[in-house]
Amino acid sequence: MAEYSAFSLLKNALTGNRDWKPAWRKPDPKASYDVIVIGGGGHGLSTAYYLAKEHGITNVAVLEKGWLGSGNVGRNTTAVRSNYLLPANTRFYEHSMKLWENLSHDLNYNVMFSQRGCLNLAHTPAQLDDFARRGNAMRHLGVDAELMTTAEIARLIPALDVSGTARFPIIGGLMQPRAGTARHDAVAWGYARGADRRGVDIIENCEVTGFLRDGDRVTGVSTSRGEIRAKKVAVAVAGSTGRVMQLADIGTMPIESHVLQAFVTESLKPFVDTVLTFGMGHFYMSQSDKGGLVYGGDLDGYNSYAQRGSLPIVDEVMSEMLALFPGLARVRMLRSWGGLCDMSMDGSPIITTGPLPGMYLNCGWCYGGFKATPASGWCFAWTIAKDEPHDFNAPFTLDRFHRGLVIDDKGQGATPRLH
């Protein structure tokens, strides 16, 4: 695969762009591999990339039932942040943030990471106190955090209704300046290209239909393109985790699958130069490079494997947006889509060995899957290569729930849809 550079861009522009090479190969599956990664989304691709780059394990296959990036990695609102309260989450997501900051150079692929900040709005004194507590916890662990006044917020986002007559008056906010957004498709393509360049086989249109076993040990998979054997089989399929684990006769998992909608408007002139979240409901928004407002809100509230949502959530999200920006009332929404969220019992992920010998599990990402992509792959690759977790993912075990070691950053208890 050719390197991308200013020189190659100029060369191909002068020759009619006829000589670009494919970003990754389209290989047929081999009979066996050292590692099979099920799931060709961001987490599966990053896992394969770091297996090859960090651990020298290149005899790896990534199996994707559709086309590369057709799942959640291309169905999110692209926000990247590490503004968590509890130490386990803060350390993990800050590691991810540091990987994001050099990711384009590392992959030789522009993932369009834009550190424009993430601002959480506070609407009551108690909420601002809680944000101060979280900001202090972040700063104790070396993560950037700043409390902002209403006047500072008004200067940053002039279109925001900060008046005393607003439906939900704004009294301040918590800003993480290093947070931002990235281009979700570019992240998938960049990791795919990087893994392919190191010898990983990315096999699209290859649906896993079962697991091969030798006693309890997983020794490979049955697929729509035949049986493939492997020493290790890793599962990274987000909202489809329950379905895939049933193929291994594991019927109960501490996660639920829910649909999460996202929306984009027509293009507007730049006026929101940060990621913004609403404190009196569940709403978050940023503005894309093309000018569209990209935003979302709550889950639809019922278990589903559908990649589409329902109208009540559309109404709720639009109402919350207009509470903050009344001037957007006549802006047209262009499209919406849904992604499958694998909601864990405590709102934190699972990156671990097992639950069967020869199997490795990556799931439970709730709302945090996209921003975790680099650290998830990095830690999952470590766990697969060494058969033990790294310190960053050691708390995210599958057995923490019955051991009482939950990591409930939001404090919502054992109700997955509330996280």
Side-chain angles (χ1 to χ4, degrees):
M1 299 296 151
E3 291 283 343
Y4 294 144
S5 64
F7 175 75
S8 65
L9 183 65
L10 178 61
K11 176 185 174 183
N12 281 278
L14 294 175
T15 56
N17 289 309
R18 291 186 296 269
D19 298 325
W20 285 112
K21 296 179 180 179
W24 59 86
R25 298 169 293 119
K26 303 285 186 180
D28 291 323
K30 297 187 294 189
S32 66
Y33 292 90
D34 291 334
V35 179
I36 288 174
V37 180
I38 305 172
H43 292 218
L45 292 167
S46 62
T47 298
Y49 174 76
Y50 290 116
L51 277 171
K53 179 178 182 285
E54 301 291 338
H55 304 284
I57 302 174
T58 59
N59 187 24
V60 177
V62 177
L63 309 184
E64 168 55 47
K65 71 175 181 179
W67 67 91
L68 189 148
S70 57
N72 284 1
V73 72
R75 291 174 171 268
N76 57 77
T77 51
T78 75
V80 175
R81 57 183 177 85
S82 59
N83 54 350
Y84 284 79
L85 172 65
L86 299 182
N89 279 327
T90 304
R91 292 189 183 99
F92 176 83
Y93 283 99
E94 179 61 13
H95 177 56
S96 197
M97 180 69 75
K98 290 175 180 177
L99 292 172
W100 276 111
E101 289 174 325
N102 193 51
L103 191 59
S104 292
H105 292 287
D106 188 28
L107 297 176
N108 183 231
Y109 200 97
N110 185 9
V111 300
M112 304 181 193
F113 181 46
S114 170
Q115 291 181 284
R116 59 187 67 182
C118 177
L119 173 61
N120 303 123
L121 296 176
H123 303 272
T124 67
Q127 191 171 45
L128 191 60
D129 286 346
D130 184 62
F131 283 174
R133 176 192 177 214
R134 193 203 310 179
N136 285 329
M138 292 165 60
R139 295 180 74 157
H140 275 302
L141 292 174
V143 181
D144 56 316
E146 299 175 6
L147 278 181
M148 296 185 68
T149 66
T150 305
E152 291 171 330
I153 293 170
R155 286 194 295 270
L156 178 66
I157 312 173
L160 190 63
D161 184 2
V162 297
S163 68
T165 58
R167 174 66 181 86
F168 300 101
I170 297 167
I171 66 168
L174 178 66
M175 167 67 84
Q176 185 185 15
R178 289 168 53 243
T181 62
R183 171 73 182 185
H184 46 198
D185 295 325
V187 174
W189 300 334
Y191 271 122
R193 177 176 175 274
D196 181 270
R197 293 173 70 208
R198 287 168 170 79
V200 172
D201 284 356
I202 298 169
I203 305 169
E204 300 174 77
N205 301 306
C206 184
E207 182 176 3
V208 170
T209 57
F211 288 86
L212 305 179
R213 305 270 285 271
D214 182 5
D216 285 338
R217 174 167 287 276
V218 174
T219 59
V221 293
S222 301
T223 78
S224 56
R225 298 177 65 173
E227 292 186 353
I228 310 173
R229 298 195 173 272
K231 299 174 184 176
K232 300 180 178 183
V233 177
V235 179
V237 294
S240 296
T241 299
R243 283 177 162 177
V244 172
M245 296 306 287
Q246 284 179 341
L247 299 176
D249 299 323
I250 298 172
T252 303
M253 294 288 294
I255 60 172
E256 293 180 356
S257 292
H258 289 262
V259 62
L260 175 63
Q261 296 189 67
F263 311 88
V264 66
T265 70
E266 61 185 320
S267 295
L268 306 173
K269 290 182 178 180
F271 80 101
V272 180
D273 190 27
T274 188
V275 179
L276 182 71
T277 75
F278 180 41
M280 293 304 289
H282 200 170
F283 173 81
Y284 40 90
M285 183 179 78
S286 62
Q287 190 167 15
S288 73
D289 293 337
K290 294 191 292 185
L293 301 178
V294 182
Y295 54 101
D298 261 327
L299 301 168
D300 275 57
Y302 53 87
N303 301 125
S304 174
Y305 288 110
Q307 290 180 319
R308 61 188 183 276
S310 60
L311 289 176
I313 290 295
V314 179
D315 179 73
E316 178 184 317
V317 171
M318 304 307 159
S319 298
E320 291 173 341
M321 180 170 71
L322 294 183
L324 296 175
F325 298 97
L328 298 179
R330 296 176 66 85
V331 171
R332 291 173 294 183
M333 184 181 77
L334 289 188
R335 60 187 178 274
S336 66
W337 59 92
L340 295 183
C341 284
D342 41 332
M343 307 295 294
S344 68
M345 301 300 290
D346 61 358
S348 295
I350 298 164
I351 313 173
T352 188
T353 57
L356 296 174
M359 176 183 279
Y360 303 79
L361 184 61
N362 180 315
C363 65
W365 289 101
C366 303
Y367 285 84
F370 180 70
K371 58 180 168 285
T373 299
S376 169
W378 193 94
C379 291
F380 201 29
W382 177 289
T383 303
I384 295 166
K386 298 181 180 293
D387 279 309
E388 62 181 17
H390 188 274
D391 288 346
F392 287 131
N393 66 301
F396 302 129
T397 59
L398 187 59
D399 66 354
R400 70 177 185 267
F401 303 101
H402 72 75
R403 294 171 62 201
L405 301 177
V406 295
I407 309 168
D408 189 349
D409 213 278
K410 201 173 177 181
Q412 293 284 16
T415 307
R417 65 180 176 83
L418 296 181
H419 290 288

